[in-house]
Amino acid sequence: MLKGKHITLYVTGGIAVYKSLNIVRELIKNQAEVQVVMTKAAQEFVTPLTFATLSQRPVLTDNFVAQSAQDDFIPHIKLARWTDLAVVVPATANIIGKLANGIADDLTSTTLMATSAPKLIFPTMNTTMWNNPAVQTNINTLNLMDIRIVDPDSGFLAEGEMGKGRLPELNTIMVEIFKMFTKPLLAGTNVIVTAGGTKEAIDPVRFIGNNSSGKMGIAMANVAADMGAHVTLITTVHDSLSSPNLNEIKISTALEMQKELENHFESSNVLIMAAAVSDFRPAHKADQKIKKNDDKELYTIELKKNPDILKEIAKKKSGQFVVGFAAETENLIPYAKKKLHEKNVDMILANDVSKAGSGFNVDTNEITLIRHDKDPETWPLMSKSDIAAKFWEYYEQNIK
Ligand code: CTP
């Protein structure tokens, strides 16, 4: 897949510079054409000659510009056009700061800024530096600029401490590089996911809620965003990845969820209704905290039925693929089929919440796919992220 691809490898000054040599070898083995650019600091760790030998090309450094000016060689413009993928590895806090703030004061920062090729950045640094708010702000800025940042690994650092800041393993780096050349399977697909249990207020401090952790919905949203979909996540819990593909809308009640869903449904291709919607809400929310009365033993909260959000939105379908969930404790398949028909959805992902390892607040689930005119298909017990990955592959192969 990398054959003939033009990859520019920017090496900046950190102890992990020596590990970049193996990346160059791997890229060359995969028949990529590799141009290495090194900062002054990187050259303190490893000489350009080593990189030049492995990449089979002269390395570009600040000195190289001066020498080649007579040859009419303008690296930052030539490289901009030549590069299919720019990889910065290792990336120091310094180059991250420059990229985020538009500072171009050496060959590396200038050429990186001049290229419109996709960029892949592998930060490595001391844990405290990584956690520094300035660095994190710069990372967020790069995320917004659609630059792919791969978080450093945790483990033993060169300065003798344990912490986050290590360069990921070679294999992970290569997978990330390959991913940059793979067309995302869900590119161009607009997905809405609802997640978490709704909270229906009784008074300003109390609510009616449920046990849903939101994990299944969040996994569905994260994996879809990772596969290139544009995801709108309407959620009562905040636990999703920060991704330029994911727009998180935080809500609390069923009515708020319904309103947001109505705002976004028309422009969507897929709806995954993973939220645990409360079927009832207090008919009246008290303005002040309800006080207990010493003479009274019995209290009554009058409940009002919430709308069936899924059933109502499915009436407005205009080509969307609509998926509901069914959490049951008995008669899984008949009850799930009933929901499929009554709510007029395209698929129900049913699970028996009374089974060990399934349902609320656990990381695993056993799902049965129910569709019109198809036999139910039960998947083995697996993690919620694996279910999400399997679901989106299924969607891409059978429905999209
Ligand atoms: N759902 C909804 N609005 C509700 C209740 C449920 O949109 N007021 C959605 C859920 O998000 C889920 C599906 O409908 O995708 C099935 O939810 P579930 O709680 O299993 O079933 P209910 O319809 O509430 O029926 P019952 O509680 O009687 O099983």
Side-chain angles (χ1 to χ4, degrees):
M1 192 193 291
L2 298 185
K3 191 174 173 188
K5 292 283 187 268
H6 294 174
I7 299 180
T8 306
L9 203 80
Y10 293 88
V11 184
T12 68
I15 182 62
V17 166
Y18 73 97
K19 296 187 178 173
S20 299
L21 294 170
N22 276 335
I23 303 170
V24 175
R25 285 188 54 182
E26 246 348 89
L27 291 173
I28 295 288
K29 250 205 282 180
N30 280 279
Q31 297 178 294
E33 291 188 37
V34 183
Q35 175 62 63
V36 177
V37 182
M38 293 179 83
T39 60
K40 224 166 140 221
Q43 295 167 59
E44 301 286 330
F45 291 91
V46 175
T47 65
L49 183 62
T50 321
F51 276 102
T53 311
L54 289 174
S55 66
Q56 301 154 13
R57 279 168 186 267
V59 167
L60 295 178
T61 63
D62 288 317
N63 288 339
F64 193 87
V65 187
Q67 279 169 21
S68 57
Q70 302 96 311
D71 308 332
D72 196 25
F73 185 85
I74 312 169
H76 71 284
I77 302 302
K78 274 218 161 170
L79 261 188
R81 295 189 186 137
W82 181 85
T83 304
D84 295 319
L85 173 68
V87 185
V88 189
V89 58
T92 56
N94 187 41
I95 189 68
I96 289 167
K98 284 183 190 177
L99 271 180
N101 294 286
I103 297 166
D105 63 352
D106 62 1
L107 184 65
T108 296
S109 48
T110 313
T111 47
L112 266 172
M113 215 163 289
T115 187
S116 54
K119 297 178 188 70
L120 177 61
I121 312 253
F122 292 92
T124 61
M125 63 197 77
N126 163 276
T127 311
T128 316
M129 278 178 88
W130 171 252
N131 289 331
N132 185 295
V135 173
Q136 286 305 312
T137 305
N138 289 335
I139 294 281
N140 285 340
T141 307
L142 295 185
N143 271 326
L144 292 175
M145 288 158 72
D146 243 358
I147 292 179
R148 168 100 178 105
I149 315 273
V150 180
D151 270 12
D153 272 0
S154 296
F156 190 70
L157 300 175
E159 54 270 42
E161 302 160 3
M162 294 294 286
K164 190 167 180 172
R166 280 169 60 89
L167 189 68
E169 295 302 323
L170 181 60
N171 195 25
T172 311
I173 294 173
M174 291 307 293
V175 168
E176 291 293 340
I177 291 174
F178 277 114
K179 267 208 253 170
M180 298 296 286
F181 289 104
T182 324
K183 193 176 175 305
L185 290 179
L186 295 178
T189 307
N190 285 334
V191 171
I192 305 179
V193 180
T194 65
T198 62
K199 293 179 175 178
E200 312 295 335
I202 298 168
D203 67 17
V205 295
R206 304 180 180 97
F207 60 84
I208 296 175
N210 60 63
N211 259 338
S212 167
S213 60
K215 287 179 182 190
M216 191 64 247
I218 302 275
M220 283 287 195
N222 284 344
V223 173
D226 235 20
M227 290 171 77
H230 180 269
V231 181
T232 303
L233 173 63
I234 304 171
T235 177
T236 62
V237 287
H238 170 76
D239 198 16
S240 56
L241 291 178
S242 77
S243 154
N245 290 352
L246 203 146
N247 172 29
E248 186 182 284
I249 300 171
K250 187 91 178 15
I251 49 88
S252 289
T253 66
L255 293 183
E256 287 165 2
M257 183 172 278
Q258 185 178 36
K259 186 162 166 270
E260 289 298 341
L261 193 51
E262 276 170 358
N263 286 342
H264 292 87
F265 187 66
E266 202 183 320
S267 57
S268 71
N269 306 106
V270 190
L271 165 65
I272 309 288
M273 192 75 194
V277 183
S278 172
D279 287 325
F280 308 97
R281 65 179 185 274
H284 311 282
K285 179 189 162 196
D287 288 338
Q288 305 299 332
K289 187 181 170 201
I290 300 170
K291 303 304 275 179
K292 66 174 176 293
N293 178 343
D294 286 342
D295 305 328
K296 214 171 145 188
E297 274 303 315
L298 265 180
Y299 293 81
T300 310
I301 299 172
E302 208 182 350
L303 297 177
K304 190 166 178 184
K305 209 161 159 198
N306 265 333
D308 187 324
I309 303 177
L310 184 58
K311 192 171 172 179
E312 292 306 314
I313 207 78
K315 289 180 187 161
K316 299 182 182 166
K317 271 202 290 181
S318 55
Q320 291 89 343
F321 188 75
V322 175
V323 181
F325 276 75
E328 309 292 349
T329 54
E330 56 177 351
N331 300 328
L332 181 71
I333 310 276
Y335 282 167
K337 278 189 174 165
K338 194 163 172 251
K339 283 177 187 166
L340 182 80
H341 291 288
E342 284 180 358
K343 293 180 194 250
N344 186 29
V345 295
D346 301 291
M347 182 188 279
I348 288 280
L349 299 178
N351 67 310
D352 183 340
V353 284
S354 64
K355 271 196 176 174
S358 269
F360 290 141
N361 256 320
V362 286
D363 289 324
T364 51
N365 218 350
E366 189 183 294
I367 287 282
T368 302
L369 261 71
I370 314 273
R371 287 178 69 188
H372 297 280
D373 309 323
K374 293 239 180 321
D375 287 336
E377 185 178 325
T378 302
W379 293 347
L381 184 75
M382 56 182 134
S383 75
K384 288 181 176 172
S385 348
D386 285 348
I387 291 172
K390 199 168 158 68
F391 169 82
W392 287 116
E393 266 165 37
Y394 179 98
Y395 170 80
E396 206 272 330
Q397 282 165 17
N398 299 286
I399 290 144
K400 196 179 164 197

